[in-house]
Amino acid sequence: MTTARRQGGDAGYAVRDAVPGDVDRVADIKVSNWADTYGPLVPREVLGRFLDKEGSAAEIHELMRSPDTLLLVGPSLGVVQGFALTHMARSPEPWLESLHVMRVERGHGLGTLLIRETAKRLLAAGYRSMSLGVILGNERASSFYERLGGVPVRVEPVDFADGVEHTVWRWSDLTRLG
């Protein structure tokens, strides 16, 4: 298991590969953040399935079985407060499916550490670029990715809900995230 530490700041933040024992906490974080962040942005009938902790945990367990899934959690010690889930083999490039940090930990560097470690892992695996989607209206996330050098490339419908769109953000050179 590899652990990455935040440099030049709070040494209490570190990220590591997720293990099966992290799945329930990752599902808790995902469900909590979906309710908090997307509640005002996504129709209620769509949001419901994303608020099912057991379903989310089952999906994460399944994804962890794939060698093409990169799931990082942080901090590496104590209670996990955030995670990054990436589909590495998605075409045409890896797709950061989820980056979630609990509200109480936002703004302290954990999200930045998670995305930077994701970039390092992708580079080590031979990938050079990465994309992700941000639901329209999630200005906090858009600002975060812009600060990290992401470039908005298009707006498109999401594949999980009619009438919901996201902005696709892209890093054409992951070395800039390192």
Side-chain angles (χ1 to χ4, degrees), residues 40-155:
L41 304 175
V42 175
R44 190 169 198 74
E45 61 274 9
V46 171
L47 191 63
R49 73 179 196 149
F50 294 100
L51 303 182
D52 173 13
K53 183 188 169 212
E54 290 176 14
S56 184
E59 177 185 357
I60 294 162
H61 269 296
E62 187 64 31
L63 287 169
M64 286 182 72
R65 290 188 181 108
S66 169
D68 296 323
T69 298
L70 174 61
L71 179 57
L72 302 175
V73 296
S76 65
L77 300 174
V79 177
V80 169
Q81 296 293 326
F83 73 93
L85 173 67
T86 307
H87 302 290
M88 296 191 313
R90 184 162 169 178
S91 184
E93 63 196 354
W95 181 262
L96 179 62
E97 189 252 33
S98 294
L99 176 67
H100 291 287
V101 174
M102 291 299 291
R103 178 181 288 277
V104 298
E105 292 295 327
R106 292 179 193 163
H108 299 287
L110 181 55
T112 300
L113 183 60
L114 284 162
I115 197 168
R116 286 188 172 150
E117 183 62 17
T118 296
K120 286 178 189 172
R121 300 288 188 89
L122 292 174
L123 285 164
Y127 298 101
R128 297 283 166 242
S129 61
M130 173 178 72
S131 295
L132 60 88
V134 174
I135 301 282
L136 292 185
N138 188 351
E139 298 306 321
R140 183 178 177 106
S142 292
S143 295
F144 173 74
Y145 295 124
E146 185 174 30
R147 281 192 312 274
L148 290 173
V151 176
V153 294
R154 68 184 172 278
V155 173

